[in-house]
Amino acid sequence: EYAVGFHAEKEDFVGVYYVSRKSSVIDALAKFQADMRALNPQYTVVELRTDGALEYASIAAQEYYTREKIRHSVSPPYTPNTTRIEPLWRTLDRIARASMADSGLPESWWPYAFQYAADVRNCMRRGSGKSGHENLTGNAPRVSTFRPLGCRAYVRKSDREVRAAGSAALGPRGWLGINLGLKRGGGPGYYIYV
């Protein structure tokens, strides 16, 4: 599995997506655009700056850029800072590693740690005094919804499930799980592993 990141420079907002093949990065870009438009319907990608990787130069990718009116530019070789995503990956990596170490989650769950890191970074105030979330939506992020990655969480059972289990009045009303971060797309909810 591969991780691909997109950085909306004007808004200073980052999205992290996972693909099974590098050739699927355009699907991830389309998902990023949809997620951004869910938060701000006026959002558009004007330019995509890449490092020259072949997956961004495919025929399917070129057709997508044309259809979506996206200008594709390629940074010069051996200049990772011109895409501005490389320093961002270092930041996300540090947050993800610290979260994984603190939570004790297995290494195979790294995609959740990177998504959590992106969510944290998007809610952090930056040089402008606003967070990426605030730049994109116009609203301050609700940081009160954050819970530590890997903390205990409960998923509520339905009333029918509680009755079917024959639970006593004080029996468990939920399943114990592990918090894997906020649900993508800004709506209420969490990813919980039960």
Side-chain angles (χ1 to χ4, degrees), residues 8-91:
E9 287 185 16
K10 180 180 162 200
E11 295 81 4
D12 198 15
F13 192 93
V14 64
V16 176
Y17 299 86
Y18 303 95
V19 294
S20 56
R21 299 179 321 273
K22 286 188 176 185
S23 60
S24 300
V25 296
I26 299 307
D27 296 334
L29 175 59
K31 180 71 172 128
F32 173 70
Q33 282 188 284
D35 288 346
M36 296 292 277
R37 287 180 182 147
L39 294 170
N40 180 347
Q42 284 78 40
Y43 180 81
T44 58
V45 174
V46 176
E47 180 180 12
L48 178 67
R49 190 176 309 136
T50 66
D51 60 0
L54 295 178
E55 56 266 24
Y56 293 102
S58 69
I59 293 171
Q62 298 300 325
E63 290 171 354
Y64 183 81
Y65 304 148
T66 302
R67 185 173 60 251
E68 294 293 322
K69 298 180 176 95
I70 297 171
R71 183 175 57 251
H72 179 222
S73 61
V74 178
S75 65
Y78 309 109
T79 56
N81 287 342
T82 59
T83 62
R84 296 194 180 146
I85 196 74
E86 295 301 328
L88 186 58
W89 274 120
R90 283 193 296 277
T91 300

